Amino acid sequence: MPPDPRRWLALAVIAVAQLMVVLDATIVNIALPSAQQALHISTADRQWIVTAYTLTFGGLLLFGGRIADYFGRKRTFLIGLLGFAGASALGGAAVNAGTLFAARGLQGLFGALLAPAALSLITVTFTEPRERAQAFGVFGGISGGGAAIGLLAGGVLTEYADWRWCLLVNIPIAVLAFVAAIPLVRESKAHGDTRYDIPGAVLATAGQVALVYGFTKAATDGWSSAVTIGWLASAVVLLGAFLFWESRTSHPLLPLRVLFDRNRGASYIVSIMIGAGLLGMFLFMTFYLQQTLGWSALKSGVAYMPFSGGIIAAAVVASRLLPRTGAKALMTVGGVLATASMIWLTRLDLDSSYATAILPSFIAMSFGMGLVFVPLSSLALSGVANHDAGVASAMVNTTQQVGGSLGTALLNTIFTTAVAGYITDHAARASESPGAAQLLQAHAAIHGYNVAFTASAILLAVATVVVIVMVRNSSADRATQPATDAAPAHFG
């Protein structure tokens, strides 16, 4: 088949859709305090604004990729766009916490259709290797820059319009992309064995939901409560059943051979740990900036810009060094930088300076993460068979999103427990003067933030240890490039 003469226009449409998906992973972060206050969401439950999206998105990405391949990539892409717009409208109109959580979950569901369809459309649209590399470069740039745009846009919309516009802004973007995609994007689909692994998708998603919900119940009922233990035990059973089913079915959602390569398995573990540590950090830093320091949503969004810029700059450096140094050296240096930067944040107080206490950590951490992200994607895709390239690529995004879901729930629980413990230990101080109770709450929040940042540092340290212990960095590894049909992961 000759190259599609409108392929570059099609790429523009696909890139816009990808930008929308990436934006949604960060744009809502800045609006969290406003949304929590407007809808009277408890501290224990506020993490579901983030987690409901990342959990369904990450949990269904692999299944969404299969649907795109079998049902039709263009058709799935269009359905994903319309569904994402509808879910955004529901979230923007939410009058209570349940509606907002449900809307965010629906956004994740349709995002799980949209993202893999977009990746596979690029693969089948650009068949010439040089052009495909250019197309993936554009796609990767959108994915990396989208996080920065989302943080800034979230601040602008929350400050000058309303937090609801952080969701409603998706509607015109999705509609325009839908209209443009109809004439510009070609349809394609896989043939042959096109059976869906529905039991695998149900078990995997249910297991992840049970795990996150178990962490959430720990914040309100305690780690030793029957409800918490029941949900966590259910998660172990469901995820164990998923692995058992995948080893037995003839058309697995996740072929286990993809996991058993030492370097690839290590990259997935690192992806989970980093997703957990980073998204948890963003959650608490947003509340620290707005509720403790009293910053506006816009000022908070601008404060994150050096972090996003540092990741992009470091990614450029890492892509040039990777062929010479291999993945292990870059990921080790990056992990150590990120861990040290997170430890630095545990020193925050009621009146910490952004210039001396936060900015240096953001710069060092972002550079460290950039040094990790590029080789991690290469490590996960190098040496994989062509027919497994799609699932191996999707697994990088899946593990990062699932790690973010679990980390946000776990760290929010740790934060809530730490705050409650601090208030109990210092309750006598609350009666000393009229303003003592308010000051106690402020100090308790600072204590909770620092404990949560300590937990994030431990997660990043574990990821670094996994790199040191598990990753093999031979000269052959340095020369290996990702499979042709693989697509770059994004860490928005």
Side-chain angles (χ1 to χ4, degrees), residues 10 20 24 46 232 296 372 440 450:
M20 181 179 67
D24 223 67
R46 70 188 179 189
L232 294 177
S296 67
V372 171
L440 175 61
N450 290 336

Side-chain angles (χ1 to χ4, degrees), residues 381-402:
L381 298 173
S382 292
V384 70
N386 282 339
H387 57 275
D388 288 335
V391 71
S393 177
M395 270 297 291
V396 181
N397 286 329
T398 298
T399 50
Q400 195 254 347
Q401 294 294 335
V402 169

